Amino acid sequence: MNTHILPLSQDLFDLDLTLSCGQIFGWKKTGDMWSGVHKGSIVSLIQNDEGIVYSGISESALFRFLGLHDDMKKIHSSIEEHISAYRNGPDNFFSTQYELSKRLRILRQDPWECLVSFICSANSNVRTIGKRINLILDRHGTSCGKGKCKFPDPCVLASCSEQELRDCLAGYRAPYLIKTAKYISTHPDFLPSIAEMSYLDAKRALMVLSGVGPKVADCVLLFAFERLEAVPIDIRIRSIIEHQYAPIIKFQKTGRYSYDDLSLFCQEYFGPYAGYAQQFLFATRDF
DNA sequence: CGCCAGGAACCTC
DNA sequence: GAGGTTCATGGC
């Protein structure tokens, strides 16, 4: 396999962090090499001092997949400006977290695989989700050779039995997966049409799917549809907001903050790249 | 053992 | 609509 190199400073990008921070689950690291399947071909990635050594993918496709076209200087200054305008002062907490995770990028994943991944994410941790997705991949994907599989198409999952998916550790999420797979396989235009919608319309549309609530919809919009304004609120982000930002939240709450309260707060507080800000906060932990 | 995890469906009121 | 309950499972 031909290998190429994409020159890139390690100061600007962290492949390990990007692939292990809970955005994507089907990639594996052996030694210093990451491998996965992208658009049906086996891709290998190694980051070293020179940049990214890659094979199985074109430079332009790699650029897009890794989000390397994102202007991080612009994104960071936009986030800082919105923070500063909202609170009329610096946010030392965010700045500290940002320094730890600023070299991650938001991936541009396959929407179907991303959708399945986050339906599987409900009420479990990143490591368990990875196991689950890799079982689905290995048992129901189509072989690409070298022991690697392409993620199963919607029609393949649609024809799985509930027990087969439970055997992949899907648990009570198994029927959600089958219902959604049936819908997507019989409505092939559904996911492509999401890309054409406004953020709110797209979120509403995704939430029609079984197993997809506001959190899963936001993850899919952020990680697969490059809606960088989407802010998934998981238990960790909720905790951060309630501890760090509750005193400055400008709108009134009744009782506990709702999902939309917190997601909307982040969009106001961090601005149009709030999804990136959210991921910088989320990624500063051990996975 | 008990508690938690990138939640959503379902039921009550 | 808001609030509680249930749903599996691995990891610690």
Side-chain angles (χ1 to χ4, degrees), chain A residues 66-86:
Chain A
L66 294 179
L68 295 175
H69 53 292
D70 285 337
D71 183 342
M72 299 312 288
K73 192 172 287 185
K74 173 179 154 192
I75 289 171
H76 181 226
S77 60
S78 168
I79 292 172
E80 290 291 350
E81 282 167 21
H82 280 82
I83 289 175
S84 178
Y86 189 100

Side-chain angles (χ1 to χ4, degrees), chain A residues 269-287:
Chain A
Y269 186 74
F270 294 115
Y273 301 107
Y276 252 111
Q278 173 274 151
Q279 197 61 15
F280 292 141
L281 293 175
F282 182 80
T284 59
R285 53 166 294 181
D286 298 323
F287 288 104

Side-chain angles (χ1 to χ4, degrees), chain A residues 253-273:
Chain A
K253 62 158 178 164
T254 58
R256 164 189 164 96
Y257 289 108
S258 71
Y259 182 95
D260 286 343
D261 285 342
L262 297 180
S263 195
L264 276 170
F265 163 71
C266 288
Q267 292 183 326
E268 287 183 33
Y269 186 74
F270 294 115
Y273 301 107

Side-chain angles (χ1 to χ4, degrees), chain A residues 204-216:
Chain A
R204 268 192 290 270
L206 285 169
M207 286 173 62
V208 170
L209 301 171
S210 180
V212 181
K215 160 66 169 60
V216 172

Side-chain angles (χ1 to χ4, degrees), chain A residues 215-228:
Chain A
K215 160 66 169 60
V216 172
D218 276 329
C219 285
V220 173
L221 288 171
L222 179 59
F223 300 138
F225 288 101
E226 47 193 336
R227 300 302 169 94
L228 303 182

Side-chain angles (χ1 to χ4, degrees), chain A residues 39-86:
Chain A
K39 295 187 189 300
S41 27
I42 301 172
V43 176
S44 302
L45 305 174
I46 298 172
Q47 182 166 30
N48 61 26
D49 315 337
E50 318 268 312
I52 309 291
V53 180
Y54 65 94
S55 66
I57 188 171
S58 71
E59 181 175 297
S60 60
L62 180 64
F63 226 76
R64 173 173 165 73
F65 173 59
L66 294 179
L68 295 175
H69 53 292
D70 285 337
D71 183 342
M72 299 312 288
K73 192 172 287 185
K74 173 179 154 192
I75 289 171
H76 181 226
S77 60
S78 168
I79 292 172
E80 290 291 350
E81 282 167 21
H82 280 82
I83 289 175
S84 178
Y86 189 100

Side-chain angles (χ1 to χ4, degrees), chain A residues 16-23 25 101 104 125-128 234 236 279-287:
Chain A
D16 285 347
L17 182 59
T18 299
L19 291 180
S20 64
C21 70
Q23 301 186 66
F25 305 95
S101 53
L104 73 78
N125 56 50
V126 169
R127 192 180 305 131
T128 305
D234 76 314
R236 169 176 166 79
Q279 197 61 15
F280 292 141
L281 293 175
F282 182 80
T284 59
R285 53 166 294 181
D286 298 323
F287 288 104

